């Protein structure tokens, strides 16, 4: 078993959501299976003022590059909005993850 950690940052955004950003994790040796695990997150409306949380979505997906089995691609899906039902407020955050590979 091999373990790597990483972070995916989401800059200030508004107008739609959820967003998808990616990171590549490189293992010392090739892996045949990999799973990304949510280790934590720091998310907020931006600026950090008095909004009421309506919807928070944080998900991870992982895949191994078939041509380079040391490389695991991690996609983070993140969205944050209030109860208005619209993505009309600025939001930003960081997603922290751990990838376990075998």
């Amino acid at each position: 078993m091999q373990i790597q950690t990483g972070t995916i940052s989401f800059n200030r955004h508004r107008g739609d959501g959820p967003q998808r950003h990616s990171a590549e994790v490189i293992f010392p040796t090739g892996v045949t299976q990999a799973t990304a695990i949510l280790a934590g997150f720091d998310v907020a409306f931006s600026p950090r003022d008095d909004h009421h949380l309506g919807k928070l979505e944080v998900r991870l997906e992982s895949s191994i590059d078939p041509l380079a089995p040391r490389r695991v691609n991690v996609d983070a899906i993140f969205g944050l909005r209030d109860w208005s039902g619209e993505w009309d407020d600025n939001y930003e955050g960081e997603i922290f993850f751990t990838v376990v590979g075998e």
Side-chain angles (χ1 to χ4, degrees):
M1 180 178 358
Q2 301 179 62
I3 299 173
Q4 298 286 334
T5 61
T7 303
I8 298 177
S9 297
F10 290 82
N11 294 328
R12 183 184 290 186
H13 182 77
R14 74 185 293 173
D16 65 356
Q19 308 173 66
R20 177 184 295 259
H21 289 204
S22 300
E24 183 178 70
V25 175
I26 300 176
F27 284 90
T29 61
V31 296
T32 57
Q33 299 179 62
T35 301
I37 302 166
L38 182 64
F41 55 86
D42 179 14
V43 301
F45 291 103
S46 179
R48 293 178 184 245
D49 54 5
D50 186 24
H51 281 83
H52 297 284
L53 175 63
K55 179 177 182 175
L56 170 63
E57 182 171 346
V58 177
R59 289 186 291 130
L60 294 174
E61 298 173 356
S62 59
S63 63
I64 300 169
D65 184 336
L67 300 177
R70 291 180 50 219
R71 298 175 186 265
V72 175
N73 299 309
V74 177
D75 292 334
I77 298 91
F78 163 58
L80 175 65
R81 66 172 173 78
D82 60 16
W83 285 107
S84 72
E86 304 292 329
W87 301 94
D88 57 348
D89 298 301
N90 290 319
Y91 64 95
E92 61 187 302
E94 284 186 295
I95 309 301
F96 307 101
F97 61 88
T98 300
V99 180
V100 178
E102 290 192 280

